Amino acid sequence: MFRRTFWFTTGVAAGVWATTKVNRKLAKLTPESLALQAADRAVIAGRKVKLFALDVREGMAHREAALKDALGLTAVPPGPDHRALPEQRRLVALEQQHTYNSFTRKEDH
């Protein structure tokens, strides 16, 4: 008698557990639930895009400051040795004289 009661109780508990689990899965597949899940994911994606844009802006500002510093365009407070504009820089390629050897140049034949 005890065995029958044990197995009956075990079967009832397994049935209740399985029914509850199936009902929860079905509730997640209703149109309203799917719409809420999509809306939540859209909000999360929007936040990620916003954070990415803020990171890009911060990186751009940092890179712009580094380039201005490298080019000598940083704002220097006026003082006795303050220059109005940085010195003009010439490209190294323009300053070099190139001589082309006709024997080493590849030509179309």
Side-chain angles (χ1 to χ4, degrees), residues 50-93:
K50 182 179 179 181
L51 289 175
F52 175 72
L54 291 174
D55 285 344
V56 168
R57 248 186 224 164
E58 181 183 340
M60 284 173 34
H62 178 69
R63 181 64 177 151
E64 184 177 357
L67 287 173
K68 283 184 177 181
D69 186 41
L71 293 173
L73 299 175
T74 55
V76 179
D81 55 327
H82 174 70
R83 294 181 293 170
L85 293 174
E87 294 179 12
Q88 185 177 5
R89 299 178 183 192
R90 291 181 53 96
L91 295 174
V92 176

Side-chain angles (χ1 to χ4, degrees), residues 99-107 109:
T99 58
Y100 293 101
N101 190 349
S102 63
F103 296 110
T104 59
R105 193 171 65 194
K106 294 182 180 179
E107 296 179 8
H109 293 289

Side-chain angles (χ1 to χ4, degrees), residues 1-88:
M1 173 95 176
F2 182 71
R3 282 184 169 174
R4 288 184 183 177
T5 306
F6 171 76
W7 287 114
F8 177 75
T9 307
T10 304
V12 168
V16 169
W17 177 79
T19 303
T20 304
K21 193 155 182 104
V22 167
N23 285 336
R24 285 183 185 165
K25 290 289 183 181
L26 288 175
K28 286 184 180 179
L29 296 176
T30 62
E32 295 85 13
S33 178
L34 291 175
L36 286 175
Q37 289 176 10
D40 288 342
R41 289 185 182 168
V43 168
I44 291 171
R47 288 180 185 157
K48 287 181 180 181
V49 168
K50 182 179 179 181
L51 289 175
F52 175 72
L54 291 174
D55 285 344
V56 168
R57 248 186 224 164
E58 181 183 340
M60 284 173 34
H62 178 69
R63 181 64 177 151
E64 184 177 357
L67 287 173
K68 283 184 177 181
D69 186 41
L71 293 173
L73 299 175
T74 55
V76 179
D81 55 327
H82 174 70
R83 294 181 293 170
L85 293 174
E87 294 179 12
Q88 185 177 5

